[in-house]
Amino acid sequence: MNLVLTGPPGAGKGTQCRRLVEKYGLTHLSSGDILRVEMNAGTELGELAKKYIDQGQLVPDEIVIKMMVGAIVKSGYNYLLDGFPRTSNQALQLDKSLEGDLSVEAVIVLEVADERVIDRLSRRRICPVCSRVYDDLSLRPIRDGHCDSDGALLVQRSDDKPDVIKKRLETYHERTAPVIEYYEKTGVKMAKIDGSLNVDQVASGVSAFVESLS
Ligand code: AP5
Ligand code: ZN
């Protein structure tokens, strides 16, 4: 199946995607992860993306659409989109670019209030080597500040600073929330799930919906 997982920053999209990949063998395509790989490698695209990401703004549509449509075509059927589409125009262009087996089949929306997002993102730390996510609330505690797997010193994402989190939330409400309305109009199957519950509870809601699709 081909799925889109959307929701505000810090809704738990990445966390739930990792579960879905493990359970259903989907290919996880995260626009944020792909852009961060480019940023860490210091490519031209990464340098450009960093200017937007560090200010809580969206990377221009034409760049992201090209990048993600390319990734979808490469991955083929059974993909899971995370963080894309993020504007109504991205959703429209995506629909225009994909057909048949590659079309989006269902959309999962994780709903989380702004205050919860701010709390989660200000606690989050990541491993710069393997990209694992750590925090003291969910499944992987920060402990001594080093990655359990490779010992690297955990860091804060450059866009997890309080003023940038605030801007990301504004950007979400203004530019990404309309994507949900877009999909509601197309009539694609959709589930809205309370993302403020604990990770296992959210995962059960997501799985129940995914299983209802087959
Ligand atoms: P992106 O990387 O997509 O970031 P985001 O959408 O802001 O989401 P996050 O990765 O911050 O959060 P998440 O929902 O994955 O939550 P997570 O599972 O980590 O995008 C970054 C930037 O790239 C954008 O701002 C933009 O500039 C650019 N970009 C990306 N895509 C683009 C596009 N399509 N167009 C244009 N620009 C684009 O969880 C968060 C924290 O909460 C973690 O610490 C986690 O452990 C914890 N947690 C998760 N679930 C729970 C739970 N149920 N209970 C308690 N804690 C939980
Ligand atoms: Zn690591």
Side-chain angles (χ1 to χ4, degrees):
M1 67 200 106
N2 301 327
L3 302 177
V4 168
L5 184 60
T6 188
K13 299 183 295 295
T15 303
Q16 295 301 325
C17 281
R18 285 184 280 281
R19 299 270 181 122
L20 284 167
V21 165
E22 224 169 85
K23 202 161 175 189
Y24 303 105
L26 303 170
T27 304
H28 181 198
L29 300 175
S30 157
S31 44
D33 285 353
I34 297 174
L35 291 168
R36 276 184 291 278
V37 167
E38 297 284 340
M39 273 164 59
N40 292 339
T43 64
E44 206 179 312
L45 169 59
E47 295 291 322
L48 177 71
K50 189 169 167 49
K51 290 188 191 140
Y52 295 94
I53 290 176
D54 285 356
Q55 290 184 38
Q57 288 171 356
L58 298 182
V59 175
D61 277 358
E62 61 275 16
I63 296 175
V64 181
I65 293 166
K66 191 166 162 231
M67 178 182 95
M68 292 306 287
V69 169
I72 292 167
V73 169
K74 204 167 154 202
S75 99
Y77 182 69
N78 252 356
Y79 62 76
L80 172 59
L81 297 183
D82 168 3
F84 178 85
R86 221 177 181 101
T87 63
S88 312
N89 180 46
Q90 290 182 14
L92 179 67
Q93 298 307 323
L94 180 66
D95 275 349
K96 283 189 179 167
S97 311
L98 304 176
E99 37 185 45
D101 256 14
L102 284 184
S103 307
V104 170
E105 289 173 58
V107 176
I108 300 167
V109 184
L110 295 183
E111 298 180 314
V112 180
D114 288 6
E115 309 75 65
R116 187 71 65 104
V117 163
I118 294 167
D119 184 50
R120 283 184 185 174
L121 293 183
S122 40
R123 290 163 189 273
R124 175 171 66 181
R125 296 293 179 274
I126 55 161
C127 171
V129 175
C130 68
S131 304
R132 284 187 187 197
V133 176
Y134 290 79
D135 74 59
D136 281 332
L137 286 178
S138 68
L139 302 176
R140 204 177 283 131
I142 294 171
R143 291 203 193 94
D144 69 344
H146 291 81
C147 176
D148 298 338
S149 167
D150 49 45
L153 186 66
L154 303 180
V155 296
Q156 189 171 40
R157 247 169 65 171
S158 56
D159 58 348
D160 278 349
K161 302 196 164 58
D163 53 332
V164 187
I165 296 172
K166 204 168 149 248
K167 181 70 196 158
R168 285 161 68 196
L169 276 165
E170 280 170 27
T171 305
Y172 173 78
H173 291 298
E174 196 182 307
R175 305 205 48 204
T176 307
V179 171
I180 300 167
E181 288 160 36
Y182 170 89
Y183 281 121
E184 275 169 341
K185 282 189 197 133
T186 67
V188 71
K189 288 179 189 152
M190 181 184 287
K192 292 185 180 174
I193 290 171
D194 182 358
S196 66
L197 302 174
N198 73 37
V199 175
D200 289 336
Q201 289 168 321
V202 179
S204 313
V206 170
S207 291
F209 173 65
V210 169
E211 278 158 35
S212 77
L213 297 171
S214 47

